[in-house]
Amino acid sequence: MASSSSYSNPPCAACKFLRRKCLPGCIFAPYFPPEEPQKFANVHKIFGASNVSKLLNEIQAHQREDAVNSLAYEAEARMKDPVYGCVGAISVLQRQVLRLQKELDATNADLMRYASNQQSNNNYNYGTSHDDHHQTNYGFSPNTTWNNNPEADDDIQ
């Protein structure tokens, strides 16, 4: 025989975790669905159910979802890194952005150096002179191939 509670909605993750009846006006129900029990477990472990309840009651209804998402993100980060939490993740990402920016700057400098070498090679007439209709090569063959390796540029000068 089925009980009357089997016909109602299942309790939210918070009420199920706290082992209490989930009432129709439960402050946690809209933000901690029964399908996401770990979300509330993490938030409860880091912040405490009482503190989260107070916070949700003190802020406006349209801000609650963002607040719960922030709490859940910070709680998950604190579970992974108890000392720094999400600040540690942000720090790692900032260092990665700086490293990638330096790499991009170096690549752009290499590209500019390559383009400059290509331009100077195209404009250089290989030392030829057209005086008196004689051609002087000054020791260079018109078919000389140049090394455009940026590390080798120091040797050419």
Side-chain angles (χ1 to χ4, degrees), residues 105-121 147-154 157:
D105 291 344
T107 302
N108 282 334
D110 289 346
L111 185 60
M112 294 300 289
R113 206 170 21 256
Y114 177 78
S116 175
N117 285 343
Q118 287 296 101
Q119 183 65 31
S120 65
N121 286 344
N147 182 357
N148 289 320
N149 183 351
E151 287 81 28
D153 285 348
D154 298 333
Q157 298 175 359

Side-chain angles (χ1 to χ4, degrees), residues 121 126 141-148 156:
N121 286 344
Y126 300 103
S141 165
N143 296 328
T144 301
T145 56
W146 296 90
N147 182 357
N148 289 320
I156 295 175

Side-chain angles (χ1 to χ4, degrees), residues 63-153:
Q63 296 175 318
R64 290 178 184 161
E65 185 174 359
D66 288 337
V68 168
N69 289 336
S70 294
L71 290 171
Y73 183 81
E74 177 64 27
E76 187 176 335
R78 288 276 172 190
M79 298 295 282
K80 293 177 183 174
D81 184 353
V83 175
Y84 295 107
C86 67
V87 174
I90 291 168
S91 179
V92 167
L93 291 173
Q94 285 176 332
R95 285 193 304 268
Q96 186 178 9
V97 166
L98 289 174
R99 182 182 53 79
L100 290 171
Q101 185 62 49
K102 286 179 183 178
E103 187 178 320
L104 179 62
D105 291 344
T107 302
N108 282 334
D110 289 346
L111 185 60
M112 294 300 289
R113 206 170 21 256
Y114 177 78
S116 175
N117 285 343
Q118 287 296 101
Q119 183 65 31
S120 65
N121 286 344
N122 290 340
N123 291 339
Y124 187 64
N125 63 10
Y126 300 103
T128 58
S129 170
H130 297 289
D131 294 339
D132 299 326
H133 304 288
H134 296 290
Q135 188 174 17
T136 308
N137 289 334
Y138 299 108
F140 294 108
S141 165
N143 296 328
T144 301
T145 56
W146 296 90
N147 182 357
N148 289 320
N149 183 351
E151 287 81 28
D153 285 348

Side-chain angles (χ1 to χ4, degrees), residues 8-12 15 20-31 64:
S8 63
N9 290 334
C12 69
C15 291
R20 65 182 191 190
K21 186 173 182 179
C22 192
L23 300 174
C26 176
I27 190 75
F28 297 120
Y31 314 107
R64 290 178 184 161

